[in-house]
Amino acid sequence: MSEITDFDALREAMADNAEQPEGPARNARAEELLTAAEKLNIPLAVIEALGHQLKVYNYSSEKGKMFVPFARLLRLWDERPEDFDEYETHSLHWVFKWVSAGMLDQPHIPLASIEKWLGEMEHRYRLAGHSERAVRSAEHSVAAHVGDVARAERAYAAWLAADRDGMADCHACELHGQGCWQAEQGRDAQALELWRPVLEGEYACAHEPHSALASSLVPLLRLGRLDEARAHHLRGFRLVRAMESMRGAYADHLEFCTLTGNEARGLELLAERPAYFTDDGQPRSKLDFLSVVALLMDRLTGLGLGDRQVPGPAGREWTARELATHARGEALVLAARFDERNGTTHVSERARARMARQPLVERLPLGVRSVRPAPPPAPPTPPVPVTGQPDLPALLAEARRLSDTLRPGAVEAWAAVAEAAQGVELDPRDRAEMADHEAMSLGPEGTELFERAAGLYTEAGDPGEALAARARGAYVRALAGDVAGAVTAVTGPYDEVLALYAADGTGMPQTAAVLMSRARIWTRRAHDGEGDGAMLAEAEAAVREVLALVDGRTGEDVRLAARAAEARAMLGELAGLAGDLESAAELFARGAAAFVAAGLPWFAVEYEARLASLAHHLGDMAEAERALRAALEHGGAHLEAPGRAQLHLQLAEVVGGRGEAGEAARHALEAAHWADEAGEGATLGAWARQQLGGHLLRQGRWAEAAEVLESALPDLTAETHGDGAVVQTQWWLGDCLSELGEHRAAAERRLQAAEIARHWPEQHDHATLAHLAGESLGQAGLPAEADRAYARAGGLWRELGNTQGLIRSLRARAWLALHAEDGLREARDLMAEAVRECEEARGAASDEEDRQQLVAELGHTHGQFGDLLARSVSEHAGDASARAVFEEALTQVVRSAEVFASLGDGALHSRTGAELAAGRLEADLGRPADAVARARAVLAAYDGHGEGEGDAVRARRAEAEQLLRLLAERPD
């Protein structure tokens, strides 16, 4: 650190320190700068250094330190007010508000002292001629803090009634405070209406909308406005994450996670800020934080996760149960200190109420990856004594009802029968059905159990069901990959059941079951045959045999109706294998409709999903969308998490494809949620988050999109998702960060994406990303790095034959060069090169459209060349060298106007803009008549254009009229 020897160096150092992140390091630097100021022997230097120190203390976790510099400032003011300039006089009165609020936050400061201070503030404001608005706001804060509602309401009314002046808090802070009071009184809708201008960006400051976004979370949840609550969390947490002084707002986000089933994300937030457990500079925000920690830990304990290790104060390991006890105890001790100071129980009551809050939403998906902590497995229940099984007959009856009507849960119902029947002697039929359904639950592993079920059915005197069980066993062999063995195994049951059915030895349901198993096996064989005609024909014959048996004869038997529906869908599958996609789509639709008509919509899900894929492939996006929506509707509560995630993700793609980014985002959000629930967060969930981020970006919801994309990136890999998905995510994230003003981070993302794209055969994306990285690096104040990125992009644009990209990279480099020391020559050379490249490309253009685009680019390049030259002169044309540069700039701008004029009316606004720029330069060069002529020519160019013809027309007219007024006001 260089020694500070003059006031200017001190001010520069304080300005630099003000830009540093909040925290102890910035505070320590402010203390060093005060010491340096005292050595200068300049009273104002000390005053400014004290003000700087007070400000950084206020915006940190060490707020309690601000009272000392303020007391010193006040003493200096009372002793020598003439040492304060206008700005420091204003600042001294301004920070009265900080100090009064800061006193409330410190329980060791007596309430009487705070009330005395409030009176002192009112007195000094009156002497200075300020409104009482800020005073009444401070009084309201005191009354609300101690729980004096009547006084708080009076002060609130007086606050709003008083005039706003220079001492009133900024609009954003005032509205936040007013909304907080409304929310505290249970008037959530009024609170949100007050916060609306802040939340929508109409008013902002250093801590807004950060605080308003955090404060709005619980009111939005209470009002059921869940989409807004989610958005405010994602957007708001991004703002407060890096701000050490915002522990109270951080606690609001932690509370939101606890109340919405996002306990895992709450733990992630907790782990990010270990210092919040111990920072003592602002006891009131520590109380808020500890209260919410207790709430979260109690929630985890209630979920059966009390023994889970969680982030806590440094120095030891914590379980959720232990941290709950610790946080509650610390919070209540702090609350008691405030209440002892205040002479009320209000603070403790509020803390207890907050710690006792119950979830407001069972689970609110956020889009970021965060899997809900699973409770530990329940201990095994001891077996029920054999004696007296009153529920077994009922369990059997329910299991048969579910299986006979093909209802979901039949397999589970039979498992319950099996558990209840342990040690009970059952007849062969009961044992056969139990074995049969257990085999169904095992899939390819159930072959032996199917044989066992077949034997029991035979023992029970039902040969048809025995053959059906054997056929099912054959089919699971095909599922296990032994298709040839399955074909052999099903042949015997097939022949036997046909003979048995012909002799009235079994019924249609049993016969249909065997025929369906055989048809499934032959369809699997057709898949393995990769479109072999003979295999397809045999499979189709097997399927049509099922239809021939049951079609039109199903009656009230839903099992037979299901066979007919599945057979039609299988014909669709075979048509698809044969390449007849239109027929396949039609047959899938018929199969799905038949399932729905039979009252079995959950079986239609698979075929609606297949139909959607076919329709997508055939370009029928409306049908694809209809089928996907139908699949979700038909599946209902029975749809398992992986399938639900897939359907929502496909629907997001289809809906997004027709421009409905809002609805697409909702489906992508659902997809991410269900992928996480299915344990596929790193695979399918990453896809969904990537898509969600893109849809949020398209809506301009930059902060939400950035949070989601950052959450997706760690799981996106080239091996699983493809490097294109990784590049696209980095690209989108760079766009978001750029919009949020995080230019260095945006550059990093764009450069990372460019590094991957550089290895692709087609280099357009590589060039575009390098160019965008140059933009971000320039905006981040890294000109050398920006120039390298633009040069890299320019080389790529040249190789690609993209003259417009090359020209724009050269222009960007010229502007960067201008800001370097003695950079005008290089800047001029780069602009001249851009002009040459454009002129050569225009002459070589192969078609008129390309030529016109290059002419327009040439016009813009001449215009920028002139602007660059004019800006290179720091003062008005006062000497010969400066005048020569202005003349050169005028030549370029006039050339720009001429080039745009050659394009006719299509480039009218660009031409008039260049004419006005030329007029301003002519005015600076002392040629008012020429400047007036250009301004009047612009107005004449818009004769006949109505007022309703757009902003550009109005803007050009206004510029021309302003130039005429300025010229008229100049002395001769």
Side-chain angles (χ1 to χ4, degrees), residues 534-701:
M535 289 187 180
L536 283 170
E538 291 183 76
E540 183 177 345
V543 175
R544 292 195 179 280
E545 191 173 8
V546 176
L547 276 174
L549 176 67
V550 302
D551 205 14
R553 297 190 287 167
T554 59
E556 298 296 321
D557 192 333
V558 295
R559 294 174 298 175
L560 295 178
R563 301 296 186 206
E566 184 180 355
R568 287 191 176 85
M570 289 170 72
L571 289 175
E573 189 173 346
L574 294 170
L577 287 174
D580 186 355
L581 302 186
E582 289 81 1
S583 294
E586 180 186 352
L587 286 162
F588 280 140
R590 291 177 62 191
F595 274 121
V596 174
L600 305 169
W602 44 88
F603 287 117
V605 172
E606 175 185 353
Y607 303 109
E608 293 282 18
R610 291 191 185 188
L611 172 56
S613 296
L614 279 176
H616 195 295
H617 182 78
L618 292 167
D620 188 350
M621 304 312 291
E623 176 62 6
E625 183 176 339
R626 184 214 61 77
L628 289 166
R629 292 186 188 280
L632 282 167
E633 180 184 351
H634 296 331
H638 307 303
L639 196 57
E640 293 185 353
R644 193 180 296 273
Q646 288 278 8
L647 291 170
H648 276 295
L649 188 56
Q650 292 174 52
L651 196 49
E653 180 184 356
V654 173
V655 172
R658 59 177 171 83
E660 297 292 337
E663 185 181 355
R666 290 192 291 275
H667 286 294
L669 176 68
E670 288 293 322
H673 166 68
W674 289 109
D676 288 342
E677 290 292 302
E680 298 182 16
T683 50
L684 182 60
W687 271 119
R689 270 178 274 282
Q690 195 245 16
Q691 291 299 303
L692 173 58
H695 293 308
L696 291 170
L697 178 147
R698 292 181 189 97
Q699 298 173 74
R701 296 161 66 175

Side-chain angles (χ1 to χ4, degrees), residues 159-178:
W159 170 16
L160 270 60
D163 293 335
R164 277 190 59 82
D165 67 350
M167 280 300 112
D169 280 342
C170 74
H171 279 289
C173 287
E174 278 210 329
L175 290 172
H176 177 239
Q178 291 161 15

Side-chain angles (χ1 to χ4, degrees), residues 165-421:
D165 67 350
M167 280 300 112
D169 280 342
C170 74
H171 279 289
C173 287
E174 278 210 329
L175 290 172
H176 177 239
Q178 291 161 15
C180 285
W181 176 246
Q182 298 297 332
E184 187 175 335
Q185 299 309 301
R187 299 187 285 263
D188 290 334
Q190 292 93 319
L192 289 161
E193 182 58 28
L194 281 165
W195 290 326
R196 183 182 52 76
V198 182
L199 299 172
E200 293 179 357
E202 184 178 345
Y203 302 120
C205 68
H207 278 185
E208 295 296 349
H210 317 41
S211 296
L213 285 164
S215 298
S216 72
L217 295 172
V218 170
L220 285 168
L221 291 175
R222 286 195 293 239
L223 292 172
R225 293 161 60 174
L226 304 185
D227 288 341
E228 292 174 77
R230 176 194 301 110
H232 287 197
H233 168 63
L234 293 176
R235 177 180 160 208
F237 182 68
R238 187 172 190 84
L239 292 173
V240 305
R241 174 184 274 141
M243 299 185 72
E244 184 204 42
S245 63
M246 301 206 71
R247 178 164 54 185
Y250 203 96
D252 291 339
H253 286 281
L254 190 61
E255 179 180 42
F256 167 83
C257 293
T258 308
L259 300 179
T260 58
N262 288 285
E263 298 86 2
R265 179 165 171 83
L267 291 176
E268 293 170 7
L269 269 58
L270 208 57
E272 288 188 29
R273 281 292 186 181
Y276 276 171
F277 285 101
T278 52
D279 285 344
D280 292 322
Q282 190 187 27
R284 185 151 61 157
S285 72
K286 185 177 182 180
L287 168 59
D288 290 336
F289 179 74
L290 290 171
S291 298
V292 172
V293 170
L295 174 69
L296 173 58
M297 294 305 121
D298 282 345
R299 175 66 178 155
L300 290 171
T301 303
L303 290 172
L305 297 164
D307 294 325
R308 173 172 175 157
Q309 189 170 331
V310 294
R316 56 162 287 188
E317 293 183 350
W318 296 88
T319 65
R321 185 178 290 104
E322 291 168 339
L323 186 55
T325 302
H326 170 80
R328 180 180 295 100
E330 291 277 304
L332 291 176
V333 166
L334 268 175
R337 288 177 59 200
F338 279 107
D339 284 343
E340 183 180 3
R341 187 270 302 275
N342 299 338
T344 68
T345 59
H346 182 65
V347 175
S348 293
E349 289 168 1
R350 289 192 66 202
R352 286 193 173 91
R354 193 170 197 181
M355 288 187 281
R357 279 180 175 164
Q358 294 300 307
L360 296 170
V361 183
E362 182 178 353
R363 184 75 192 278
L364 178 63
L366 302 178
V368 293
R369 188 179 181 194
S370 187
V371 182
R372 193 172 195 173
T381 54
V384 179
V386 174
T387 56
Q389 290 281 355
D391 290 333
L392 185 54
L395 289 172
L396 273 166
E398 177 63 8
R400 286 201 176 97
R401 183 188 71 80
L402 293 174
S403 56
D404 289 347
T405 56
L406 300 181
R407 289 306 187 257
V411 171
E412 292 78 8
W414 280 106
V417 169
E419 183 177 355

Side-chain angles (χ1 to χ4, degrees), residues 898-918:
E898 293 169 348
V899 170
F900 284 127
S902 73
L903 293 173
D905 289 343
L908 174 62
H909 301 321
S910 297
R911 176 176 70 80
T912 54
E915 292 280 7
L916 288 168

